[in-house]
Amino acid sequence: MQVISNPTQDEIVIAANALKKGHLVSFPTETVYGLGADATNENAVKQIYEVKKRPTNHPLIVHISSLRQFPIWAASIPDYVNELAKNFWPGPITFILKRSHLAKDFITGNQELVGVRIPKHPVALQLLGEFEKLGGYGVVAPSANMFGSVSPTCAPDVLDDIGERLKKEDFILDGGDCEIGIESTILLCTEENIKILRYGNITRSQIENLVNIEILDQNADSNVRVSGNLVKHYSPHAKIVLDQKPTHGDGLIALFQIPTPEGVIRLAAPKDIKEFGQTLYRAMRLGDKKKLSRIMIISPQINEISQPVIDRIKKAAAE
Ligand code: TXA
Ligand code: MG
């Protein structure tokens, strides 16, 4: 495996060729780092599951570079989804729709649905664009971490997590730290309504302001498999404890106003919710590197903006 920092256009073309030949490429997005493979290549996709040790019935999101590719993957796209896509793409929102013939069982976890997203990071967009120029249709990319652990938000975290499991011909493209730091909002879209399957940076109000369609919440009955919906997920090795007083030897993640008691190891002191999201996973990983047995997280106040962050914190703390 080769790590390429701040890849040039030529280097991105090399990585796109590797994808086309069936190799894996980890790349930055605005949310978290993805581990990409040609979405039409069953063998390549199989390698993603092997590297991550991810159960094969967990579907993958198809990443594309432009709206032109969208109808290739979805059998039908409701008007309101086109409206949302036009507004929020490239960006941190994924639509789950009826699949086209191209979206095979090996990417959808045998479901009749496909997830699609256009990410915002320039390296991701260039990589996907070059891949499409080579005749590719889309790149499936789960977060580039071992199944069940927190998503990587920088290339060194990808390397730490899965570096040794990648093959010689695979790549990690280092495009710096992810701007958002938590995964995209996922919407299950039917003709009748939207179900928010995973909270992310794009909020319910942003969606409501744009389209006139019923929006149901995450916990509304759903038998769609979203791995982020397992109660215990996004979790480091250290035990995550919420909203208690940290004691000697504990790690602490809390907004900057909250002081660090003596003997407590401060892992992050974000100045606002945006920074909380950016640093949360990194801080949890830091706690693991320091071999802490407990990490205390003081949750920010709940509101629409902090909701996705609180959602990840709760999942990390779940027993
Ligand atoms: O921000 C993100 O979405 C990142 C970056 C790399 O794009 N990707 C990501 O992928 O978080 P992953 O695989 O770690 O989580 C994607 C979630 C999974 O929980 C999966 O179950 C759900 O999306 N998903 C994907 N395709 C689906 C489908 N066809 N039906 C239902 N859920 C789907
Ligand atoms: Mg993931």
Side-chain angles (χ1 to χ4, degrees), residues 32 52 54 142-151 183 198 227-228 233-234:
V32 300
K52 283 182 59 90
R54 176 170 165 130
S143 51
N145 54 281
M146 297 298 287
F147 180 69
S149 107
V150 298
S151 297
E183 305 83 351
R198 184 171 74 185
S227 64
H233 199 62
Y234 307 119

Side-chain angles (χ1 to χ4, degrees), residues 152-303:
T153 56
C154 61
D157 287 350
V158 176
L159 197 60
D160 267 3
D161 232 43
I162 59 166
E164 285 186 354
R165 303 179 60 79
L166 294 176
K167 298 206 172 115
K168 193 166 98 260
E169 300 87 352
D170 300 337
F171 286 93
I172 298 176
L173 302 182
D174 184 348
D177 293 346
C178 297
E179 190 192 323
I180 294 176
I182 56 173
E183 305 83 351
S184 61
T185 304
I186 300 185
L187 304 181
L188 174 61
C189 301
T190 64
E191 293 294 338
E192 295 81 40
N193 58 45
I194 293 177
K195 259 183 215 145
I196 303 180
L197 297 185
R198 184 171 74 185
Y199 295 117
N201 236 44
I202 304 233
T203 63
R204 187 190 174 107
S205 323
Q206 279 177 286
I207 298 162
E208 268 166 2
N209 287 343
L210 218 61
V211 293
N212 187 17
I213 182 147
E214 188 187 10
I215 303 178
L216 306 171
D217 243 338
Q218 199 175 42
N219 298 328
D221 246 10
S222 168
N223 48 18
V224 176
R225 271 188 306 268
V226 176
S227 64
N229 271 359
L230 300 175
V231 178
K232 171 114 181 134
H233 199 62
Y234 307 119
S235 122
H237 299 294
K239 185 172 166 55
I240 303 286
V241 181
L242 301 189
D243 304 326
Q244 291 175 29
K245 216 170 145 1
T247 56
H248 201 274
D250 280 350
L252 175 63
I253 301 172
L255 283 165
F256 79 106
Q257 304 94 319
I258 296 165
T260 313
E262 213 181 294
V264 167
I265 300 105
R266 191 61 176 251
L267 299 171
K271 66 173 187 304
D272 53 23
I273 298 300
K274 182 168 183 250
E275 209 174 284
F276 214 124
Q278 286 168 339
T279 54
L280 178 68
Y281 288 157
R282 168 101 52 110
M284 289 186 198
R285 284 173 179 273
L286 182 62
D288 278 350
K289 269 186 212 139
K290 291 181 183 290
K291 304 220 173 348
L292 303 183
S293 49
R294 255 184 24 147
I295 299 173
M296 187 65 59
I297 305 183
I298 311 298
S299 322
Q301 242 180 18
I302 183 137
N303 56 43

Side-chain angles (χ1 to χ4, degrees), residues 95-107:
F95 302 102
I96 310 279
L97 297 159
K98 280 213 190 73
R99 66 173 169 179
S100 71
H101 295 301
L102 200 59
K104 299 282 194 281
D105 281 351
F106 61 82
I107 65 164

